[in-house]
mmCIF file of all heavy atoms in Angstrom:
data_model
loop_
_atom_site.group_PDB
_atom_site.id
_atom_site.type_symbol
_atom_site.label_atom_id
_atom_site.label_comp_id
_atom_site.label_asym_id
_atom_site.label_seq_id
_atom_site.Cartn_x
_atom_site.Cartn_y
_atom_site.Cartn_z
ATOM 1 N N PHE T 1 -45.644 -186.489 24.090
ATOM 2 C CA PHE T 1 -45.620 -186.977 25.470
ATOM 3 C C PHE T 1 -46.620 -186.226 26.375
ATOM 4 O O PHE T 1 -46.838 -186.664 27.497
ATOM 5 C CB PHE T 1 -44.209 -186.870 26.072
ATOM 6 C CG PHE T 1 -43.669 -185.463 26.116
ATOM 7 C CD1 PHE T 1 -43.903 -184.657 27.215
ATOM 8 C CD2 PHE T 1 -42.904 -184.958 25.062
ATOM 9 C CE1 PHE T 1 -43.416 -183.361 27.259
ATOM 10 C CE2 PHE T 1 -42.392 -183.671 25.134
ATOM 11 C CZ PHE T 1 -42.644 -182.862 26.217
ATOM 12 N N LEU T 2 -47.184 -185.143 25.911
ATOM 13 C CA LEU T 2 -48.165 -184.417 26.705
ATOM 14 C C LEU T 2 -49.465 -184.344 25.894
ATOM 15 O O LEU T 2 -49.552 -183.650 24.893
ATOM 16 C CB LEU T 2 -47.690 -183.016 27.044
ATOM 17 C CG LEU T 2 -48.659 -182.146 27.809
ATOM 18 C CD1 LEU T 2 -48.961 -182.756 29.170
ATOM 19 C CD2 LEU T 2 -48.137 -180.725 27.980
ATOM 20 N N LYS T 3 -50.467 -185.078 26.366
ATOM 21 C CA LYS T 3 -51.743 -185.125 25.649
ATOM 22 C C LYS T 3 -52.731 -184.195 26.341
ATOM 23 O O LYS T 3 -52.797 -184.107 27.568
ATOM 24 C CB LYS T 3 -52.315 -186.539 25.630
ATOM 25 C CG LYS T 3 -51.413 -187.546 24.955
ATOM 26 C CD LYS T 3 -51.205 -187.233 23.474
ATOM 27 C CE LYS T 3 -50.412 -188.315 22.799
ATOM 28 N NZ LYS T 3 -50.121 -187.997 21.387
ATOM 29 N N GLU T 4 -53.523 -183.487 25.544
ATOM 30 C CA GLU T 4 -54.522 -182.563 26.051
ATOM 31 C C GLU T 4 -55.883 -182.921 25.500
ATOM 32 O O GLU T 4 -56.025 -183.308 24.331
ATOM 33 C CB GLU T 4 -54.177 -181.127 25.700
ATOM 34 C CG GLU T 4 -52.912 -180.612 26.434
ATOM 35 C CD GLU T 4 -52.612 -179.165 26.104
ATOM 36 O OE1 GLU T 4 -52.886 -178.751 24.968
ATOM 37 O OE2 GLU T 4 -52.118 -178.455 26.968
ATOM 38 N N ILE T 5 -56.922 -182.753 26.333
ATOM 39 C CA ILE T 5 -58.289 -183.077 25.955
ATOM 40 C C ILE T 5 -59.066 -181.763 25.742
ATOM 41 O O ILE T 5 -59.088 -180.937 26.624
ATOM 42 C CB ILE T 5 -59.004 -183.894 27.041
ATOM 43 C CG1 ILE T 5 -58.135 -185.090 27.478
ATOM 44 C CG2 ILE T 5 -60.382 -184.349 26.575
ATOM 45 C CD1 ILE T 5 -57.930 -186.128 26.447
ATOM 46 N N PRO T 6 -59.688 -181.583 24.581
ATOM 47 C CA PRO T 6 -60.508 -180.395 24.362
ATOM 48 C C PRO T 6 -61.734 -180.397 25.253
ATOM 49 O O PRO T 6 -62.414 -181.388 25.413
ATOM 50 C CB PRO T 6 -60.893 -180.496 22.876
ATOM 51 C CG PRO T 6 -59.898 -181.399 22.272
ATOM 52 C CD PRO T 6 -59.564 -182.385 23.340
ATOM 53 N N VAL T 7 -62.004 -179.237 25.872
ATOM 54 C CA VAL T 7 -63.166 -179.040 26.737
ATOM 55 C C VAL T 7 -63.847 -177.743 26.344
ATOM 56 O O VAL T 7 -63.180 -176.767 26.021
ATOM 57 C CB VAL T 7 -62.757 -178.976 28.235
ATOM 58 C CG1 VAL T 7 -63.937 -178.645 29.119
ATOM 59 C CG2 VAL T 7 -62.119 -180.298 28.680
ATOM 60 N N ARG T 8 -65.157 -177.757 26.335
ATOM 61 C CA ARG T 8 -65.916 -176.541 25.987
ATOM 62 C C ARG T 8 -66.668 -176.058 27.223
ATOM 63 O O ARG T 8 -67.384 -176.828 27.870
ATOM 64 C CB ARG T 8 -66.876 -176.834 24.841
ATOM 65 C CG ARG T 8 -67.630 -175.602 24.363
ATOM 66 C CD ARG T 8 -68.290 -175.889 23.005
ATOM 67 N NE ARG T 8 -67.289 -175.921 21.969
ATOM 68 C CZ ARG T 8 -67.556 -176.060 20.663
ATOM 69 N NH1 ARG T 8 -68.784 -176.199 20.261
ATOM 70 N NH2 ARG T 8 -66.580 -176.080 19.781
ATOM 71 N N ILE T 9 -66.476 -174.777 27.580
ATOM 72 C CA ILE T 9 -67.100 -174.161 28.726
ATOM 73 C C ILE T 9 -68.120 -173.144 28.242
ATOM 74 O O ILE T 9 -67.775 -172.243 27.462
ATOM 75 C CB ILE T 9 -66.070 -173.434 29.636
ATOM 76 C CG1 ILE T 9 -64.849 -174.309 29.890
ATOM 77 C CG2 ILE T 9 -66.712 -172.956 30.910
ATOM 78 C CD1 ILE T 9 -65.095 -175.533 30.715
ATOM 79 N N LYS T 10 -69.370 -173.268 28.695
ATOM 80 C CA LYS T 10 -70.412 -172.308 28.279
ATOM 81 C C LYS T 10 -70.538 -171.219 29.314
ATOM 82 O O LYS T 10 -70.589 -171.484 30.529
ATOM 83 C CB LYS T 10 -71.748 -173.016 28.108
ATOM 84 C CG LYS T 10 -72.822 -172.169 27.463
ATOM 85 C CD LYS T 10 -74.082 -172.961 27.202
ATOM 86 C CE LYS T 10 -75.076 -172.210 26.347
ATOM 87 N NZ LYS T 10 -75.282 -170.824 26.709
ATOM 88 N N LEU T 11 -70.574 -169.961 28.893
ATOM 89 C CA LEU T 11 -70.759 -168.830 29.801
ATOM 90 C C LEU T 11 -72.203 -168.752 30.239
ATOM 91 O O LEU T 11 -73.128 -168.767 29.410
ATOM 92 C CB LEU T 11 -70.330 -167.523 29.117
ATOM 93 C CG LEU T 11 -68.850 -167.182 29.133
ATOM 94 C CD1 LEU T 11 -68.020 -168.168 28.333
ATOM 95 C CD2 LEU T 11 -68.628 -165.752 28.622
ATOM 96 N N ASP T 12 -72.413 -168.695 31.559
ATOM 97 C CA ASP T 12 -73.774 -168.583 32.112
ATOM 98 C C ASP T 12 -74.221 -167.156 32.273
ATOM 99 O O ASP T 12 -75.410 -166.887 32.554
ATOM 100 C CB ASP T 12 -73.876 -169.312 33.455
ATOM 101 C CG ASP T 12 -73.700 -170.797 33.322
ATOM 102 O OD1 ASP T 12 -73.990 -171.335 32.221
ATOM 103 O OD2 ASP T 12 -73.242 -171.450 34.297
ATOM 104 N N GLN T 13 -73.310 -166.214 32.134
ATOM 105 C CA GLN T 13 -73.629 -164.806 32.356
ATOM 106 C C GLN T 13 -72.803 -163.999 31.340
ATOM 107 O O GLN T 13 -71.642 -164.299 31.136
ATOM 108 C CB GLN T 13 -73.294 -164.406 33.783
ATOM 109 C CG GLN T 13 -73.505 -162.940 34.107
ATOM 110 C CD GLN T 13 -73.116 -162.642 35.553
ATOM 111 O OE1 GLN T 13 -73.461 -163.363 36.460
ATOM 112 N NE2 GLN T 13 -72.350 -161.593 35.741
ATOM 113 N N MET T 14 -73.416 -163.010 30.757
ATOM 114 C CA MET T 14 -72.697 -162.211 29.766
ATOM 115 C C MET T 14 -72.328 -160.842 30.331
ATOM 116 O O MET T 14 -72.918 -160.374 31.313
ATOM 117 C CB MET T 14 -73.560 -162.042 28.508
ATOM 118 C CG MET T 14 -73.784 -163.335 27.717
ATOM 119 S SD MET T 14 -72.245 -164.153 27.255
ATOM 120 C CE MET T 14 -71.518 -162.883 26.210
ATOM 121 N N ASP T 15 -71.339 -160.250 29.730
ATOM 122 C CA ASP T 15 -70.861 -158.914 30.113
ATOM 123 C C ASP T 15 -70.555 -158.189 28.811
ATOM 124 O O ASP T 15 -70.036 -158.789 27.859
ATOM 125 C CB ASP T 15 -69.608 -159.046 30.976
ATOM 126 C CG ASP T 15 -69.138 -157.713 31.518
ATOM 127 O OD1 ASP T 15 -68.469 -156.971 30.747
ATOM 128 O OD2 ASP T 15 -69.431 -157.404 32.693
ATOM 129 N N PRO T 16 -70.869 -156.902 28.743
ATOM 130 C CA PRO T 16 -70.632 -156.173 27.474
ATOM 131 C C PRO T 16 -69.172 -156.154 27.050
ATOM 132 O O PRO T 16 -68.864 -155.940 25.861
ATOM 133 C CB PRO T 16 -71.139 -154.743 27.770
ATOM 134 C CG PRO T 16 -71.313 -154.674 29.237
ATOM 135 C CD PRO T 16 -71.551 -156.061 29.728
ATOM 136 N N ARG T 17 -68.249 -156.412 27.982
ATOM 137 C CA ARG T 17 -66.817 -156.402 27.625
ATOM 138 C C ARG T 17 -66.400 -157.719 26.986
ATOM 139 O O ARG T 17 -65.330 -157.802 26.403
ATOM 140 C CB ARG T 17 -65.984 -156.179 28.898
ATOM 141 C CG ARG T 17 -66.115 -154.780 29.466
ATOM 142 C CD ARG T 17 -65.493 -154.677 30.836
ATOM 143 N NE ARG T 17 -66.275 -155.370 31.850
ATOM 144 C CZ ARG T 17 -65.986 -155.404 33.154
ATOM 145 N NH1 ARG T 17 -64.883 -154.789 33.578
ATOM 146 N NH2 ARG T 17 -66.754 -156.037 34.004
ATOM 147 N N VAL T 18 -67.244 -158.734 27.095
ATOM 148 C CA VAL T 18 -66.864 -160.069 26.553
ATOM 149 C C VAL T 18 -67.159 -160.092 25.067
ATOM 150 O O VAL T 18 -68.294 -159.985 24.619
ATOM 151 C CB VAL T 18 -67.641 -161.191 27.275
ATOM 152 C CG1 VAL T 18 -67.336 -162.533 26.656
ATOM 153 C CG2 VAL T 18 -67.325 -161.181 28.755
ATOM 154 N N ILE T 19 -66.108 -160.270 24.291
ATOM 155 C CA ILE T 19 -66.222 -160.369 22.826
ATOM 156 C C ILE T 19 -65.473 -161.612 22.362
ATOM 157 O O ILE T 19 -64.601 -162.106 23.072
ATOM 158 C CB ILE T 19 -65.672 -159.096 22.134
ATOM 159 C CG1 ILE T 19 -64.185 -158.924 22.489
ATOM 160 C CG2 ILE T 19 -66.489 -157.876 22.484
ATOM 161 C CD1 ILE T 19 -63.510 -157.794 21.707
ATOM 162 N N PRO T 20 -65.800 -162.131 21.179
ATOM 163 C CA PRO T 20 -65.118 -163.317 20.689
ATOM 164 C C PRO T 20 -63.616 -163.078 20.511
ATOM 165 O O PRO T 20 -63.180 -161.968 20.164
ATOM 166 C CB PRO T 20 -65.793 -163.590 19.361
ATOM 167 C CG PRO T 20 -67.107 -162.898 19.435
ATOM 168 C CD PRO T 20 -66.892 -161.707 20.305
ATOM 169 N N GLY T 21 -62.822 -164.109 20.772
ATOM 170 C CA GLY T 21 -61.384 -164.036 20.508
ATOM 171 C C GLY T 21 -60.539 -163.647 21.699
ATOM 172 O O GLY T 21 -59.299 -163.637 21.598
ATOM 173 N N LEU T 22 -61.121 -163.323 22.862
ATOM 174 C CA LEU T 22 -60.348 -162.930 24.023
ATOM 175 C C LEU T 22 -59.656 -164.167 24.625
ATOM 176 O O LEU T 22 -60.201 -165.261 24.607
ATOM 177 C CB LEU T 22 -61.221 -162.295 25.093
ATOM 178 C CG LEU T 22 -61.867 -160.939 24.754
ATOM 179 C CD1 LEU T 22 -62.740 -160.468 25.914
ATOM 180 C CD2 LEU T 22 -60.759 -159.904 24.502
ATOM 181 N N SER T 23 -58.464 -163.956 25.165
ATOM 182 C CA SER T 23 -57.762 -165.045 25.881
ATOM 183 C C SER T 23 -58.271 -165.071 27.308
ATOM 184 O O SER T 23 -58.466 -164.041 27.940
ATOM 185 C CB SER T 23 -56.258 -164.840 25.834
ATOM 186 O OG SER T 23 -55.899 -163.591 26.384
ATOM 187 N N VAL T 24 -58.471 -166.292 27.828
ATOM 188 C CA VAL T 24 -59.062 -166.451 29.155
ATOM 189 C C VAL T 24 -58.346 -167.566 29.905
ATOM 190 O O VAL T 24 -57.568 -168.322 29.342
ATOM 191 C CB VAL T 24 -60.576 -166.801 29.056
ATOM 192 C CG1 VAL T 24 -61.321 -165.758 28.287
ATOM 193 C CG2 VAL T 24 -60.772 -168.180 28.431
ATOM 194 N N SER T 25 -58.633 -167.602 31.200
ATOM 195 C CA SER T 25 -58.259 -168.762 32.029
ATOM 196 C C SER T 25 -59.514 -169.265 32.685
ATOM 197 O O SER T 25 -60.451 -168.470 32.970
ATOM 198 C CB SER T 25 -57.221 -168.356 33.087
ATOM 199 O OG SER T 25 -57.763 -167.398 33.993
ATOM 200 N N VAL T 26 -59.608 -170.576 32.929
ATOM 201 C CA VAL T 26 -60.821 -171.174 33.463
ATOM 202 C C VAL T 26 -60.468 -172.013 34.688
ATOM 203 O O VAL T 26 -59.553 -172.840 34.625
ATOM 204 C CB VAL T 26 -61.519 -172.049 32.408
ATOM 205 C CG1 VAL T 26 -62.774 -172.720 32.994
ATOM 206 C CG2 VAL T 26 -61.881 -171.230 31.174
ATOM 207 N N ASP T 27 -61.219 -171.805 35.770
ATOM 208 C CA ASP T 27 -61.144 -172.677 36.927
ATOM 209 C C ASP T 27 -62.428 -173.497 36.950
ATOM 210 O O ASP T 27 -63.515 -172.959 37.082
ATOM 211 C CB ASP T 27 -61.048 -171.855 38.231
ATOM 212 C CG ASP T 27 -59.753 -171.081 38.334
ATOM 213 O OD1 ASP T 27 -58.707 -171.680 37.990
ATOM 214 O OD2 ASP T 27 -59.781 -169.923 38.748
ATOM 215 N N VAL T 28 -62.268 -174.822 36.855
ATOM 216 C CA VAL T 28 -63.431 -175.726 36.949
ATOM 217 C C VAL T 28 -63.510 -176.202 38.392
ATOM 218 O O VAL T 28 -62.551 -176.683 38.987
ATOM 219 C CB VAL T 28 -63.267 -176.938 35.997
ATOM 220 C CG1 VAL T 28 -64.448 -177.913 36.171
ATOM 221 C CG2 VAL T 28 -63.187 -176.480 34.566
ATOM 222 N N ILE T 29 -64.695 -176.027 38.984
ATOM 223 C CA ILE T 29 -64.916 -176.404 40.382
ATOM 224 C C ILE T 29 -65.300 -177.860 40.447
ATOM 225 O O ILE T 29 -66.411 -178.234 40.059
ATOM 226 C CB ILE T 29 -66.006 -175.511 41.002
ATOM 227 C CG1 ILE T 29 -65.601 -174.028 40.876
ATOM 228 C CG2 ILE T 29 -66.252 -175.888 42.448
ATOM 229 C CD1 ILE T 29 -66.686 -173.046 41.231
ATOM 230 N N VAL T 30 -64.359 -178.697 40.888
ATOM 231 C CA VAL T 30 -64.609 -180.130 40.935
ATOM 232 C C VAL T 30 -65.231 -180.551 42.280
ATOM 233 O O VAL T 30 -65.817 -181.612 42.400
ATOM 234 C CB VAL T 30 -63.333 -180.924 40.675
ATOM 235 C CG1 VAL T 30 -62.847 -180.678 39.251
ATOM 236 C CG2 VAL T 30 -62.238 -180.594 41.673
ATOM 237 N N GLU T 31 -65.056 -179.707 43.329
ATOM 238 C CA GLU T 31 -65.589 -180.023 44.625
ATOM 239 C C GLU T 31 -65.665 -178.724 45.413
ATOM 240 O O GLU T 31 -64.767 -177.882 45.323
ATOM 241 C CB GLU T 31 -64.712 -181.027 45.367
ATOM 242 C CG GLU T 31 -65.320 -181.661 46.579
ATOM 243 C CD GLU T 31 -64.436 -182.722 47.192
ATOM 244 O OE1 GLU T 31 -63.311 -182.915 46.700
ATOM 245 O OE2 GLU T 31 -64.874 -183.370 48.153
ATOM 246 N N GLU T 32 -66.735 -178.523 46.205
ATOM 247 C CA GLU T 32 -66.848 -177.332 47.004
ATOM 248 C C GLU T 32 -67.712 -177.591 48.224
ATOM 249 O O GLU T 32 -68.447 -178.563 48.289
ATOM 250 C CB GLU T 32 -67.449 -176.181 46.185
ATOM 251 C CG GLU T 32 -68.895 -176.423 45.747
ATOM 252 C CD GLU T 32 -69.446 -175.249 44.977
ATOM 253 O OE1 GLU T 32 -68.928 -174.115 45.105
ATOM 254 O OE2 GLU T 32 -70.431 -175.454 44.224
ATOM 255 N N GLU T 33 -67.564 -176.743 49.250
ATOM 256 C CA GLU T 33 -68.357 -176.853 50.448
ATOM 257 C C GLU T 33 -68.329 -175.513 51.170
ATOM 258 O O GLU T 33 -67.401 -174.714 51.008
ATOM 259 C CB GLU T 33 -67.867 -177.973 51.340
ATOM 260 C CG GLU T 33 -66.553 -177.677 52.031
ATOM 261 C CD GLU T 33 -66.170 -178.723 53.081
ATOM 262 O OE1 GLU T 33 -67.066 -179.121 53.834
ATOM 263 O OE2 GLU T 33 -65.013 -179.119 53.127
ATOM 264 N N GLU T 34 -69.325 -175.282 52.000
ATOM 265 C CA GLU T 34 -69.359 -174.116 52.850
ATOM 266 C C GLU T 34 -68.584 -174.429 54.108
ATOM 267 O O GLU T 34 -68.722 -175.479 54.700
ATOM 268 C CB GLU T 34 -70.794 -173.750 53.199
ATOM 269 C CG GLU T 34 -71.624 -173.223 52.025
ATOM 270 C CD GLU T 34 -71.143 -171.903 51.490
ATOM 271 O OE1 GLU T 34 -70.633 -171.124 52.327
ATOM 272 O OE2 GLU T 34 -71.274 -171.627 50.300
#
């Protein structure tokens, strides 16, 4: 009853602490303004 769509997010900036396998949360910006 709950369907999920796979999405792939590419990192635009790297950090030495970022290694494969870490758990993350992602905020996708669908709309923004100043």
Side-chain angles (χ1 to χ4, degrees):
F1 61 88
L2 178 63
K3 300 297 184 182
E4 293 182 327
I5 310 294
V7 174
R8 184 166 287 184
I9 314 292
K10 190 175 190 315
L11 276 66
D12 292 334
Q13 177 181 313
M14 293 304 298
D15 185 280
R17 292 169 288 182
V18 177
I19 59 173
L22 292 178
S23 58
V24 303
S25 63
V26 178
D27 294 318
V28 177
I29 303 169
V30 296
E31 192 175 5
E32 65 179 339
E33 70 171 319
E34 292 293 330

